[in-house]
Amino acid sequence: MAFSQEQLPELLLRYFRQQREIFGDGFVLSREKWEVLLHSLERGGPVPAGPIDPKKKAELLHQFYEQIKNCQRCPLGETRINFVFGVGDPDAKLMLIGEAPGKDEDEQGEPFVGRAGQLLNKILKAIQFEREEVYIANILKCRPPNNRDPLPDEVAQCEPYLHRQIEIIQPKLILALGRVAGQTLLKTKTSLANLRGRLHEYRGIPLIVTFHPAALLRNPQFKRPTWYDVQYARKVYDAIMAGRPPETISYPSP
Ligand code: SF4
């Protein structure tokens, strides 16, 4: 049977799952090693260790997109109009992560394209970033009905895709947009108020949390604190890029 290189992880995954079902956990590998192997294949196999060439990153992201674009791992796959993978520079040093596509994003297949997206572009410009030089993605790739919060099972199914994108892009700083993104990435129930204004870490990458642009449209009083957050993010980013420890950057005083 002929198959493309992109299909290989999926075929291997299917084969190993069948074998494990027939012969049980003890088949060839220990239970722990099975978990590592299946998790790696679910995400498309291992990515190269160490720094990845920017052209290779674009290629890997494209391959990964092709591999998961028809995903039906959770019920949102049935109700989506478009699968919303992510957009931006595959070699971006700053990655922005929201919670899930909304109506406009579902219709257009791109994250942050509606009014909230336009506001996000303005916020980026205010701290001297163009939309094209960052990478923007969501935790979920498909729209939850009526824009409700993602369910734990949807996050469990979809978050490995985001991990893989992060592994390929290798950002130096992540900006989480909104409570749901912050709480989900940091695996915490801490309020947005307590997550903002300090440096966190997500899988070894510095992470800052701020408001979701849609929240700013509904609550203009959040714009000023957001301005402090993004100024802080810019300073942290500059420190990282200059090889200085980001922990030494203090949050701007209101
Ligand atoms: S939300 Fe994620 S896991 Fe669910 S169908 Fe879409 S891509 Fe697949």
PDB file of all heavy atoms in Angstrom, residues 55-83:
ATOM      1  N   LYS A  55      13.533  27.669   7.705  1.00  0.00           N
ATOM      2  CA  LYS A  55      12.842  27.036   6.559  1.00  0.00           C
ATOM      3  C   LYS A  55      12.264  25.684   6.965  1.00  0.00           C
ATOM      4  O   LYS A  55      11.190  25.291   6.539  1.00  0.00           O
ATOM      5  CB  LYS A  55      13.828  26.827   5.406  1.00  0.00           C
ATOM      6  CG  LYS A  55      14.013  28.072   4.568  1.00  0.00           C
ATOM      7  CD  LYS A  55      14.671  27.714   3.246  1.00  0.00           C
ATOM      8  CE  LYS A  55      15.201  28.978   2.598  1.00  0.00           C
ATOM      9  NZ  LYS A  55      16.574  28.871   2.170  1.00  0.00           N
ATOM     10  N   LYS A  56      13.020  24.977   7.774  1.00  0.00           N
ATOM     11  CA  LYS A  56      12.568  23.662   8.254  1.00  0.00           C
ATOM     12  C   LYS A  56      11.326  23.823   9.141  1.00  0.00           C
ATOM     13  O   LYS A  56      10.416  22.994   9.107  1.00  0.00           O
ATOM     14  CB  LYS A  56      13.720  23.006   9.038  1.00  0.00           C
ATOM     15  CG  LYS A  56      13.435  21.619   9.533  1.00  0.00           C
ATOM     16  CD  LYS A  56      13.519  20.583   8.438  1.00  0.00           C
ATOM     17  CE  LYS A  56      13.098  19.218   8.921  1.00  0.00           C
ATOM     18  NZ  LYS A  56      12.741  18.323   7.842  1.00  0.00           N
ATOM     19  N   LYS A  57      11.307  24.926   9.941  1.00  0.00           N
ATOM     20  CA  LYS A  57      10.143  25.167  10.800  1.00  0.00           C
ATOM     21  C   LYS A  57       8.893  25.337   9.950  1.00  0.00           C
ATOM     22  O   LYS A  57       7.843  24.771  10.263  1.00  0.00           O
ATOM     23  CB  LYS A  57      10.350  26.448  11.631  1.00  0.00           C
ATOM     24  CG  LYS A  57      11.366  26.319  12.736  1.00  0.00           C
ATOM     25  CD  LYS A  57      11.414  27.598  13.549  1.00  0.00           C
ATOM     26  CE  LYS A  57      12.474  27.504  14.624  1.00  0.00           C
ATOM     27  NZ  LYS A  57      12.514  28.671  15.509  1.00  0.00           N
ATOM     28  N   ALA A  58       8.996  26.111   8.863  1.00  0.00           N
ATOM     29  CA  ALA A  58       7.837  26.324   7.986  1.00  0.00           C
ATOM     30  C   ALA A  58       7.369  24.989   7.408  1.00  0.00           C
ATOM     31  O   ALA A  58       6.172  24.703   7.354  1.00  0.00           O
ATOM     32  CB  ALA A  58       8.204  27.307   6.876  1.00  0.00           C
ATOM     33  N   GLU A  59       8.335  24.174   7.006  1.00  0.00           N
ATOM     34  CA  GLU A  59       8.013  22.867   6.418  1.00  0.00           C
ATOM     35  C   GLU A  59       7.337  21.957   7.458  1.00  0.00           C
ATOM     36  O   GLU A  59       6.328  21.320   7.186  1.00  0.00           O
ATOM     37  CB  GLU A  59       9.339  22.260   5.959  1.00  0.00           C
ATOM     38  CG  GLU A  59       9.239  21.071   5.064  1.00  0.00           C
ATOM     39  CD  GLU A  59      10.648  20.515   4.825  1.00  0.00           C
ATOM     40  OE1 GLU A  59      11.562  21.303   4.493  1.00  0.00           O
ATOM     41  OE2 GLU A  59      10.821  19.302   5.002  1.00  0.00           O
ATOM     42  N   LEU A  60       7.908  21.929   8.666  1.00  0.00           N
ATOM     43  CA  LEU A  60       7.349  21.073   9.723  1.00  0.00           C
ATOM     44  C   LEU A  60       5.934  21.512  10.101  1.00  0.00           C
ATOM     45  O   LEU A  60       5.046  20.688  10.307  1.00  0.00           O
ATOM     46  CB  LEU A  60       8.243  21.107  10.966  1.00  0.00           C
ATOM     47  CG  LEU A  60       9.561  20.340  10.886  1.00  0.00           C
ATOM     48  CD1 LEU A  60      10.448  20.672  12.078  1.00  0.00           C
ATOM     49  CD2 LEU A  60       9.308  18.832  10.836  1.00  0.00           C
ATOM     50  N   LEU A  61       5.742  22.840  10.174  1.00  0.00           N
ATOM     51  CA  LEU A  61       4.409  23.342  10.528  1.00  0.00           C
ATOM     52  C   LEU A  61       3.402  22.967   9.453  1.00  0.00           C
ATOM     53  O   LEU A  61       2.273  22.574   9.739  1.00  0.00           O
ATOM     54  CB  LEU A  61       4.426  24.871  10.680  1.00  0.00           C
ATOM     55  CG  LEU A  61       4.791  25.458  12.028  1.00  0.00           C
ATOM     56  CD1 LEU A  61       4.641  26.965  12.005  1.00  0.00           C
ATOM     57  CD2 LEU A  61       3.955  24.866  13.163  1.00  0.00           C
ATOM     58  N   HIS A  62       3.823  23.099   8.198  1.00  0.00           N
ATOM     59  CA  HIS A  62       2.920  22.760   7.100  1.00  0.00           C
ATOM     60  C   HIS A  62       2.559  21.267   7.126  1.00  0.00           C
ATOM     61  O   HIS A  62       1.391  20.902   6.997  1.00  0.00           O
ATOM     62  CB  HIS A  62       3.544  23.148   5.753  1.00  0.00           C
ATOM     63  CG  HIS A  62       2.637  22.815   4.606  1.00  0.00           C
ATOM     64  ND1 HIS A  62       1.453  23.492   4.381  1.00  0.00           N
ATOM     65  CD2 HIS A  62       2.697  21.843   3.663  1.00  0.00           C
ATOM     66  CE1 HIS A  62       0.840  22.963   3.336  1.00  0.00           C
ATOM     67  NE2 HIS A  62       1.566  21.958   2.884  1.00  0.00           N
ATOM     68  N   GLN A  63       3.569  20.443   7.327  1.00  0.00           N
ATOM     69  CA  GLN A  63       3.327  18.981   7.414  1.00  0.00           C
ATOM     70  C   GLN A  63       2.354  18.676   8.543  1.00  0.00           C
ATOM     71  O   GLN A  63       1.444  17.868   8.411  1.00  0.00           O
ATOM     72  CB  GLN A  63       4.628  18.242   7.722  1.00  0.00           C
ATOM     73  CG  GLN A  63       5.482  17.977   6.519  1.00  0.00           C
ATOM     74  CD  GLN A  63       6.828  17.372   6.928  1.00  0.00           C
ATOM     75  OE1 GLN A  63       7.045  17.034   8.091  1.00  0.00           O
ATOM     76  NE2 GLN A  63       7.724  17.275   5.983  1.00  0.00           N
ATOM     77  N   PHE A  64       2.564  19.362   9.662  1.00  0.00           N
ATOM     78  CA  PHE A  64       1.713  19.108  10.822  1.00  0.00           C
ATOM     79  C   PHE A  64       0.273  19.555  10.537  1.00  0.00           C
ATOM     80  O   PHE A  64      -0.694  18.876  10.886  1.00  0.00           O
ATOM     81  CB  PHE A  64       2.291  19.824  12.053  1.00  0.00           C
ATOM     82  CG  PHE A  64       1.588  19.487  13.318  1.00  0.00           C
ATOM     83  CD1 PHE A  64       1.312  18.161  13.656  1.00  0.00           C
ATOM     84  CD2 PHE A  64       1.182  20.478  14.197  1.00  0.00           C
ATOM     85  CE1 PHE A  64       0.645  17.829  14.827  1.00  0.00           C
ATOM     86  CE2 PHE A  64       0.516  20.163  15.368  1.00  0.00           C
ATOM     87  CZ  PHE A  64       0.250  18.846  15.677  1.00  0.00           C
ATOM     88  N   TYR A  65       0.148  20.730   9.895  1.00  0.00           N
ATOM     89  CA  TYR A  65      -1.181  21.219   9.513  1.00  0.00           C
ATOM     90  C   TYR A  65      -1.903  20.170   8.643  1.00  0.00           C
ATOM     91  O   TYR A  65      -3.062  19.834   8.883  1.00  0.00           O
ATOM     92  CB  TYR A  65      -1.042  22.549   8.759  1.00  0.00           C
ATOM     93  CG  TYR A  65      -2.300  22.943   8.035  1.00  0.00           C
ATOM     94  CD1 TYR A  65      -3.372  23.508   8.732  1.00  0.00           C
ATOM     95  CD2 TYR A  65      -2.435  22.730   6.664  1.00  0.00           C
ATOM     96  CE1 TYR A  65      -4.548  23.835   8.069  1.00  0.00           C
ATOM     97  CE2 TYR A  65      -3.611  23.055   6.005  1.00  0.00           C
ATOM     98  CZ  TYR A  65      -4.658  23.607   6.714  1.00  0.00           C
ATOM     99  OH  TYR A  65      -5.825  23.912   6.066  1.00  0.00           O
ATOM    100  N   GLU A  66      -1.194  19.667   7.645  1.00  0.00           N
ATOM    101  CA  GLU A  66      -1.797  18.679   6.735  1.00  0.00           C
ATOM    102  C   GLU A  66      -2.243  17.442   7.504  1.00  0.00           C
ATOM    103  O   GLU A  66      -3.250  16.824   7.194  1.00  0.00           O
ATOM    104  CB  GLU A  66      -0.784  18.256   5.656  1.00  0.00           C
ATOM    105  CG  GLU A  66      -0.520  19.324   4.597  1.00  0.00           C
ATOM    106  CD  GLU A  66      -1.758  19.628   3.760  1.00  0.00           C
ATOM    107  OE1 GLU A  66      -2.561  18.710   3.547  1.00  0.00           O
ATOM    108  OE2 GLU A  66      -1.924  20.795   3.356  1.00  0.00           O
ATOM    109  N   GLN A  67      -1.468  17.114   8.516  1.00  0.00           N
ATOM    110  CA  GLN A  67      -1.738  15.893   9.278  1.00  0.00           C
ATOM    111  C   GLN A  67      -2.977  16.016  10.174  1.00  0.00           C
ATOM    112  O   GLN A  67      -3.685  15.042  10.379  1.00  0.00           O
ATOM    113  CB  GLN A  67      -0.502  15.619  10.120  1.00  0.00           C
ATOM    114  CG  GLN A  67      -0.434  14.260  10.717  1.00  0.00           C
ATOM    115  CD  GLN A  67       0.773  14.194  11.635  1.00  0.00           C
ATOM    116  OE1 GLN A  67       1.822  14.780  11.344  1.00  0.00           O
ATOM    117  NE2 GLN A  67       0.620  13.521  12.744  1.00  0.00           N
ATOM    118  N   ILE A  68      -3.229  17.231  10.688  1.00  0.00           N
ATOM    119  CA  ILE A  68      -4.315  17.347  11.685  1.00  0.00           C
ATOM    120  C   ILE A  68      -5.521  18.160  11.205  1.00  0.00           C
ATOM    121  O   ILE A  68      -6.486  18.306  11.941  1.00  0.00           O
ATOM    122  CB  ILE A  68      -3.797  17.940  13.021  1.00  0.00           C
ATOM    123  CG1 ILE A  68      -3.344  19.390  12.848  1.00  0.00           C
ATOM    124  CG2 ILE A  68      -2.690  17.077  13.605  1.00  0.00           C
ATOM    125  CD1 ILE A  68      -3.060  20.110  14.159  1.00  0.00           C
ATOM    126  N   LYS A  69      -5.483  18.678   9.976  1.00  0.00           N
ATOM    127  CA  LYS A  69      -6.528  19.628   9.540  1.00  0.00           C
ATOM    128  C   LYS A  69      -7.935  19.014   9.495  1.00  0.00           C
ATOM    129  O   LYS A  69      -8.915  19.738   9.528  1.00  0.00           O
ATOM    130  CB  LYS A  69      -6.175  20.233   8.178  1.00  0.00           C
ATOM    131  CG  LYS A  69      -6.182  19.236   7.039  1.00  0.00           C
ATOM    132  CD  LYS A  69      -5.804  19.882   5.733  1.00  0.00           C
ATOM    133  CE  LYS A  69      -5.854  18.838   4.634  1.00  0.00           C
ATOM    134  NZ  LYS A  69      -5.376  19.302   3.349  1.00  0.00           N
ATOM    135  N   ASN A  70      -8.049  17.699   9.418  1.00  0.00           N
ATOM    136  CA  ASN A  70      -9.376  17.068   9.399  1.00  0.00           C
ATOM    137  C   ASN A  70      -9.715  16.420  10.738  1.00  0.00           C
ATOM    138  O   ASN A  70     -10.557  15.521  10.807  1.00  0.00           O
ATOM    139  CB  ASN A  70      -9.440  16.007   8.288  1.00  0.00           C
ATOM    140  CG  ASN A  70      -9.252  16.636   6.919  1.00  0.00           C
ATOM    141  OD1 ASN A  70      -9.811  17.695   6.645  1.00  0.00           O
ATOM    142  ND2 ASN A  70      -8.441  16.024   6.066  1.00  0.00           N
ATOM    143  N   CYS A  71      -9.044  16.877  11.787  1.00  0.00           N
ATOM    144  CA  CYS A  71      -9.197  16.248  13.114  1.00  0.00           C
ATOM    145  C   CYS A  71     -10.669  16.151  13.549  1.00  0.00           C
ATOM    146  O   CYS A  71     -11.435  17.092  13.386  1.00  0.00           O
ATOM    147  CB  CYS A  71      -8.407  17.053  14.146  1.00  0.00           C
ATOM    148  SG  CYS A  71      -8.628  16.429  15.817  1.00  0.00           S
ATOM    149  N   GLN A  72     -10.986  15.022  14.135  1.00  0.00           N
ATOM    150  CA  GLN A  72     -12.338  14.798  14.695  1.00  0.00           C
ATOM    151  C   GLN A  72     -12.178  14.187  16.089  1.00  0.00           C
ATOM    152  O   GLN A  72     -13.006  13.369  16.491  1.00  0.00           O
ATOM    153  CB  GLN A  72     -13.128  13.824  13.799  1.00  0.00           C
ATOM    154  CG  GLN A  72     -13.411  14.314  12.408  1.00  0.00           C
ATOM    155  CD  GLN A  72     -14.496  15.383  12.366  1.00  0.00           C
ATOM    156  OE1 GLN A  72     -15.322  15.470  13.262  1.00  0.00           O
ATOM    157  NE2 GLN A  72     -14.475  16.221  11.344  1.00  0.00           N
ATOM    158  N   ARG A  73     -11.134  14.582  16.794  1.00  0.00           N
ATOM    159  CA  ARG A  73     -10.881  13.936  18.079  1.00  0.00           C
ATOM    160  C   ARG A  73     -11.848  14.363  19.173  1.00  0.00           C
ATOM    161  O   ARG A  73     -11.922  13.715  20.215  1.00  0.00           O
ATOM    162  CB  ARG A  73      -9.436  14.212  18.531  1.00  0.00           C
ATOM    163  CG  ARG A  73      -8.440  13.381  17.762  1.00  0.00           C
ATOM    164  CD  ARG A  73      -7.027  13.748  18.088  1.00  0.00           C
ATOM    165  NE  ARG A  73      -6.686  13.494  19.469  1.00  0.00           N
ATOM    166  CZ  ARG A  73      -5.458  13.526  19.930  1.00  0.00           C
ATOM    167  NH1 ARG A  73      -4.458  13.775  19.110  1.00  0.00           N
ATOM    168  NH2 ARG A  73      -5.214  13.296  21.191  1.00  0.00           N
ATOM    169  N   CYS A  74     -12.525  15.502  18.965  1.00  0.00           N
ATOM    170  CA  CYS A  74     -13.569  15.868  19.926  1.00  0.00           C
ATOM    171  C   CYS A  74     -14.791  16.339  19.133  1.00  0.00           C
ATOM    172  O   CYS A  74     -14.684  16.583  17.927  1.00  0.00           O
ATOM    173  CB  CYS A  74     -13.065  16.919  20.917  1.00  0.00           C
ATOM    174  SG  CYS A  74     -13.131  18.604  20.310  1.00  0.00           S
ATOM    175  N   PRO A  75     -15.943  16.473  19.768  1.00  0.00           N
ATOM    176  CA  PRO A  75     -17.175  16.795  19.019  1.00  0.00           C
ATOM    177  C   PRO A  75     -17.126  18.136  18.277  1.00  0.00           C
ATOM    178  O   PRO A  75     -17.923  18.365  17.375  1.00  0.00           O
ATOM    179  CB  PRO A  75     -18.251  16.813  20.111  1.00  0.00           C
ATOM    180  CG  PRO A  75     -17.705  15.963  21.206  1.00  0.00           C
ATOM    181  CD  PRO A  75     -16.223  16.158  21.185  1.00  0.00           C
ATOM    182  N   LEU A  76     -16.195  19.030  18.642  1.00  0.00           N
ATOM    183  CA  LEU A  76     -16.146  20.333  17.952  1.00  0.00           C
ATOM    184  C   LEU A  76     -15.762  20.188  16.485  1.00  0.00           C
ATOM    185  O   LEU A  76     -16.042  21.062  15.671  1.00  0.00           O
ATOM    186  CB  LEU A  76     -15.152  21.272  18.655  1.00  0.00           C
ATOM    187  CG  LEU A  76     -15.453  21.573  20.122  1.00  0.00           C
ATOM    188  CD1 LEU A  76     -14.429  22.531  20.697  1.00  0.00           C
ATOM    189  CD2 LEU A  76     -16.856  22.154  20.273  1.00  0.00           C
ATOM    190  N   GLY A  77     -15.154  19.050  16.158  1.00  0.00           N
ATOM    191  CA  GLY A  77     -14.794  18.799  14.761  1.00  0.00           C
ATOM    192  C   GLY A  77     -16.012  18.702  13.860  1.00  0.00           C
ATOM    193  O   GLY A  77     -15.945  18.989  12.674  1.00  0.00           O
ATOM    194  N   GLU A  78     -17.140  18.316  14.455  1.00  0.00           N
ATOM    195  CA  GLU A  78     -18.357  18.147  13.650  1.00  0.00           C
ATOM    196  C   GLU A  78     -19.071  19.462  13.409  1.00  0.00           C
ATOM    197  O   GLU A  78     -19.788  19.611  12.424  1.00  0.00           O
ATOM    198  CB  GLU A  78     -19.333  17.212  14.378  1.00  0.00           C
ATOM    199  CG  GLU A  78     -18.959  15.758  14.211  1.00  0.00           C
ATOM    200  CD  GLU A  78     -19.850  14.854  15.034  1.00  0.00           C
ATOM    201  OE1 GLU A  78     -21.013  15.230  15.309  1.00  0.00           O
ATOM    202  OE2 GLU A  78     -19.365  13.783  15.419  1.00  0.00           O
ATOM    203  N   THR A  79     -18.917  20.411  14.321  1.00  0.00           N
ATOM    204  CA  THR A  79     -19.689  21.654  14.217  1.00  0.00           C
ATOM    205  C   THR A  79     -18.889  22.818  13.635  1.00  0.00           C
ATOM    206  O   THR A  79     -19.461  23.860  13.334  1.00  0.00           O
ATOM    207  CB  THR A  79     -20.230  22.067  15.611  1.00  0.00           C
ATOM    208  OG1 THR A  79     -19.126  22.063  16.533  1.00  0.00           O
ATOM    209  CG2 THR A  79     -21.285  21.092  16.094  1.00  0.00           C
ATOM    210  N   ARG A  80     -17.585  22.662  13.491  1.00  0.00           N
ATOM    211  CA  ARG A  80     -16.782  23.781  12.967  1.00  0.00           C
ATOM    212  C   ARG A  80     -17.082  24.042  11.492  1.00  0.00           C
ATOM    213  O   ARG A  80     -17.487  23.131  10.757  1.00  0.00           O
ATOM    214  CB  ARG A  80     -15.286  23.477  13.124  1.00  0.00           C
ATOM    215  CG  ARG A  80     -14.833  22.413  12.153  1.00  0.00           C
ATOM    216  CD  ARG A  80     -13.332  22.168  12.174  1.00  0.00           C
ATOM    217  NE  ARG A  80     -13.030  20.995  11.405  1.00  0.00           N
ATOM    218  CZ  ARG A  80     -12.319  19.947  11.817  1.00  0.00           C
ATOM    219  NH1 ARG A  80     -11.795  19.952  13.023  1.00  0.00           N
ATOM    220  NH2 ARG A  80     -12.129  18.914  11.035  1.00  0.00           N
ATOM    221  N   ILE A  81     -16.849  25.294  11.064  1.00  0.00           N
ATOM    222  CA  ILE A  81     -16.859  25.603   9.621  1.00  0.00           C
ATOM    223  C   ILE A  81     -15.434  25.383   9.129  1.00  0.00           C
ATOM    224  O   ILE A  81     -15.196  24.697   8.151  1.00  0.00           O
ATOM    225  CB  ILE A  81     -17.309  27.058   9.359  1.00  0.00           C
ATOM    226  CG1 ILE A  81     -18.715  27.284   9.876  1.00  0.00           C
ATOM    227  CG2 ILE A  81     -17.222  27.376   7.858  1.00  0.00           C
ATOM    228  CD1 ILE A  81     -19.171  28.734   9.825  1.00  0.00           C
ATOM    229  N   ASN A  82     -14.488  25.989   9.847  1.00  0.00           N
ATOM    230  CA  ASN A  82     -13.073  25.845   9.477  1.00  0.00           C
ATOM    231  C   ASN A  82     -12.233  25.412  10.669  1.00  0.00           C
ATOM    232  O   ASN A  82     -12.507  25.794  11.804  1.00  0.00           O
ATOM    233  CB  ASN A  82     -12.520  27.190   8.976  1.00  0.00           C
ATOM    234  CG  ASN A  82     -12.860  27.442   7.534  1.00  0.00           C
ATOM    235  OD1 ASN A  82     -12.451  26.693   6.651  1.00  0.00           O
ATOM    236  ND2 ASN A  82     -13.638  28.492   7.290  1.00  0.00           N
ATOM    237  N   PHE A  83     -11.218  24.672  10.372  1.00  0.00           N
ATOM    238  CA  PHE A  83     -10.180  24.307  11.342  1.00  0.00           C
ATOM    239  C   PHE A  83      -9.214  25.505  11.394  1.00  0.00           C
ATOM    240  O   PHE A  83      -8.766  25.984  10.357  1.00  0.00           O
ATOM    241  CB  PHE A  83      -9.497  23.049  10.803  1.00  0.00           C
ATOM    242  CG  PHE A  83      -8.249  22.644  11.502  1.00  0.00           C
ATOM    243  CD1 PHE A  83      -8.303  21.869  12.639  1.00  0.00           C
ATOM    244  CD2 PHE A  83      -7.018  23.014  10.996  1.00  0.00           C
ATOM    245  CE1 PHE A  83      -7.136  21.473  13.273  1.00  0.00           C
ATOM    246  CE2 PHE A  83      -5.852  22.623  11.627  1.00  0.00           C
ATOM    247  CZ  PHE A  83      -5.912  21.848  12.775  1.00  0.00           C
TER     248      PHE A  83
END
